[in-house]
């Protein structure tokens, strides 16, 4: 029996949807429909201090206005701390996660002392493994995944490889590019990597369609999936929508919320970013027409 397709769109309620996030939403919805699968919505509000009150419901309304409604119950990450804790406990019990007492300044100092070159990943320096062998009297601040321990114990290659449905063959040496990455942050909040891996598995996600800016996260998530014994979805990373300044549209750089006074026009703009033909009849006809076109 063929595996049933289950996809998802997982916005962060740090603001309303903008033109770039609508492209990702539309792509994930169309891909699910084209494969006869289901499309789920997950509100990724694990970073609670950055969330805007009411943005979650406003996002769901924006999606509904564009004809996209979750096929199942909407999931809020902020309500799932116990599930993430069980995943962390599993990794700790296997000896694959450890407490870290380093501040960002500590990490930068350790890198400089070792005369190592840091590699930026979302403004984070490559962690040099300072606390891997113990805290040396420092209080625990965060929890990290021991990447090499996982790879060694499971007989995994140092270079993680995967096939992106749009970008093609991809690979990354997580230890060299990122280091032992954070699972639970120093402020007690759950890190994106752990939450998204646990939730994708719990929701039975078989296909992840998301923006190309998140492609760099994929290798870390695959290693974590392997450590937890969870399946790896297929990935497709969509083109980014760029602003007039040449940077990708994002809430961080002030991207404007969607103007939904004419939802079909707004959807047409998103569809054009995906290489789909313009539709002038109705939202329902547009979604039906675009579903018949291939994204890859």
């Amino acid at each position: 029996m063929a595996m049933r397709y289950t996809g998802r769109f997982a916005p962060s309620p740090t603001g309303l949807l903008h033109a770039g996030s609508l492209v990702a939403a539309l792509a994930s919805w169309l891909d699910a429909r084209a494969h006869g699968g289901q499309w789920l919505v997950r509100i990724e509000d694990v970073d609670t201090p950055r969330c805007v009150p009411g943005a979650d419901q406003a996002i769901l309304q924006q999606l509904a206005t564009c004809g996209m409604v979750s096929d199942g119950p909407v999931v809020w990450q902020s309500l799932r701390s116990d599930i993430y804790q069980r995943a962390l406990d599993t990794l700790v019990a296997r000896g694959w996660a450890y407490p870290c007492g380093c501040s960002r300044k500590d990490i930068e100092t350790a890198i400089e002392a070792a005369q190592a070159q840091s590699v930026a990943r979302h403004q984070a320096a490559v962690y040099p493994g300072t606390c891997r062998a113990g805290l040396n009297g420092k209080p625990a601040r965060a929890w990290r995944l021991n990447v090499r321990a996982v790879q060694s114990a499971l007989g995994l290659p140092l270079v993680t490889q995967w096939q992106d449905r749009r970008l093609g063959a991809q690979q990354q040496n997580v230890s060299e590019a990122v280091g032992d990455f954070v699972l639970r942050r120093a402020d007690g909040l759950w890190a994106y990597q752990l939450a998204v891996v646990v939730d994708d598995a719990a929701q039975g996600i078989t296909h992840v369609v998301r923006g190309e800016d998140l492609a760099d996260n994929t290798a870390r998530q695959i290693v974590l999936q392997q450590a937890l014994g969870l399946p790896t979805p297929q990935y497709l990373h969509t083109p980014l929508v760029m602003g007039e300044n040449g940077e990708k549209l994002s809430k961080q750089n002030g991207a404007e919320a969607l103007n939904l006074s004419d939802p079909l026009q707004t959807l047409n703009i998103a569809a054009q970013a995906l290489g789909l033909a313009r539709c002038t009849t109705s939202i329902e006809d547009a979604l039906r027409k675009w579903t018949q076109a291939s994204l890859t």
Side-chain angles (χ1 to χ4, degrees), residues 24-271:
L26 179 61
S28 63
W29 190 94
L30 291 176
D31 202 50
R33 291 293 178 265
H35 287 86
Q38 65 172 173
W39 183 75
L40 304 177
V41 174
R42 178 168 72 232
I43 301 297
E44 295 198 335
D45 59 345
V46 69
D47 193 353
T48 49
R50 295 181 58 238
C51 294
V52 176
D56 52 350
Q57 295 297 335
I59 287 171
L60 295 176
Q61 183 57 55
Q62 286 179 302
L63 291 170
T65 300
C66 293
M68 294 178 281
V69 177
S70 180
D71 294 322
V74 176
V75 169
W76 275 260
Q77 286 187 332
S78 59
L79 303 177
R80 297 171 60 77
S81 181
D82 289 348
I83 299 174
Y84 306 144
Q85 185 63 57
R86 287 198 292 272
L88 177 58
D89 290 344
T90 296
L91 296 170
V92 172
R94 293 174 180 173
W96 296 343
Y98 60 89
C100 175
C102 297
S103 65
R104 182 172 298 179
K105 180 62 177 177
D106 292 334
I107 295 172
E108 294 172 352
T109 300
I111 291 173
E112 292 171 359
Q115 296 183 332
Q117 180 179 2
S118 65
V119 180
R121 283 296 181 271
H122 304 294
Q123 299 180 337
V126 177
Y127 182 67
T130 308
C131 296
R132 194 180 297 137
L135 290 168
N136 295 318
K138 293 184 293 186
R141 292 169 52 86
W143 284 86
R144 294 181 179 271
L145 184 73
N146 190 330
V147 175
R148 287 289 175 87
V150 171
Q151 293 172 326
S152 176
L154 298 179
L156 303 174
L158 297 181
V159 177
T160 301
Q161 299 180 334
W162 72 99
Q163 187 74 19
D164 187 277
R165 292 169 54 206
R166 172 175 165 264
L167 302 176
Q170 304 291 307
Q171 65 177 33
Q172 185 184 82
N173 185 321
V174 175
S175 289
E176 292 184 356
V178 183
D180 292 346
F181 54 90
V182 171
L183 303 171
R184 190 165 194 172
R185 298 172 8 179
D187 57 10
L189 297 178
W190 295 101
Y192 165 75
Q193 308 298 348
L194 180 68
V196 73
V197 163
V198 170
D199 287 340
D200 280 347
Q203 292 185 281
I205 302 302
T206 61
H207 293 71
V208 172
V209 178
R210 59 189 181 186
E212 190 173 337
D213 56 319
L214 295 173
D216 182 71
N217 291 274
T218 308
R220 275 170 280 179
Q221 291 169 11
I222 291 174
V223 170
L224 192 48
Q225 289 157 359
Q226 293 167 326
L228 290 168
L230 302 176
T232 295
Q234 294 185 38
Y235 291 94
L236 186 158
H237 290 89
T238 62
L240 298 180
V241 177
M242 311 304 287
E244 295 180 358
N245 61 358
E247 298 180 357
K248 82 173 186 75
L249 286 181
S250 70
K251 298 167 189 173
Q252 285 73 25
N253 63 22
E256 294 183 2
L258 292 174
N259 180 353
L260 293 176
S261 58
D262 185 348
L264 180 57
Q265 170 63 13
T266 302
L267 276 171
N268 267 307
I269 294 172

